[in-house]
Amino acid sequence: MLMAGLLIAFLAPGPAEAPKSDTWILRCQIDPTTQAVRTFRVAPRLLQEWRPADKQFGPNLCEVFSCTADRDRLEGVMTSASLILTLRVDRPSGQGSWKTVGASGLKKTSGPCAAEREKPGQTPG
C-alpha cells in the first residue's frame, strides 16, 4: 500500500507542470493616427474588449460574432454591413495581429498586436 501511495505521488503533476493559460491579451494599435491602443482578451470561445471607463472587459463578443480556435491559432472576427475586423493569435509563435476588410477608413488595413498570455489577476489598465 505504501508503494502504491508513493507511485501515485510520483506520477501526479506538480506545480511546475501546471498547464499554461490559454487566454491571451492583445494590444493593437489599429488606427495609428489616434495613437490609441485597443486591448482584447482572446481565448477559445472568448473575445472581449477592454473598457477603460469601466476598468473591466466587456461582454463576450463570441456570443454574437465568429470565433475559432484550433491547435495553432485563436481568432475572433467582428463583422458589420461594411467592415470586417479580424483579431488573431498564432499560438506557436506567440504573435498577435489584426486585419480589416471593407470601409474602415484606415490607411493601414493590417498590423501586429503585442500578445502575451494572461496572468492570474492581471488587469490591462
Side-chain angles (χ1 to χ4, degrees):
M1 186 69 156
L2 179 59
M3 186 59 107
L6 289 174
L7 184 58
I8 290 171
F10 180 72
L11 295 175
E17 297 172 18
K20 290 184 178 179
S21 167
D22 200 21
T23 303
W24 293 77
I25 301 296
L26 289 181
R27 290 181 177 83
C28 308
Q29 187 179 18
I30 296 173
D31 184 357
T33 60
T34 66
Q35 298 297 312
V37 174
R38 292 174 68 180
T39 302
F40 299 89
R41 177 189 278 157
V42 183
R45 296 174 302 284
L46 179 70
L47 174 62
Q48 298 172 290
E49 186 168 6
W50 178 254
R51 294 180 169 177
D54 299 334
K55 294 185 172 51
Q56 65 183 5
F57 283 99
N60 183 2
L61 298 170
C62 290
E63 293 176 6
V64 292
F65 295 110
S66 171
C67 294
T68 58
D70 63 30
R71 184 179 56 136
D72 293 330
R73 70 183 165 97
L74 297 169
E75 185 175 272
V77 181
M78 294 177 276
T79 59
S80 72
S82 60
L83 179 67
I84 300 169
L85 171 63
T86 303
L87 299 162
R88 178 178 288 167
V89 175
D90 179 74
R91 288 171 161 159
S93 69
Q95 301 293 312
S97 63
W98 64 271
K99 177 177 79 168
T100 61
V101 175
S104 70
L106 300 173
K107 290 182 182 180
K108 272 183 71 178
T109 58
S110 64
C113 297
E116 65 177 309
R117 289 189 187 272
E118 184 178 42
K119 296 168 188 70
Q122 177 179 6
T123 56

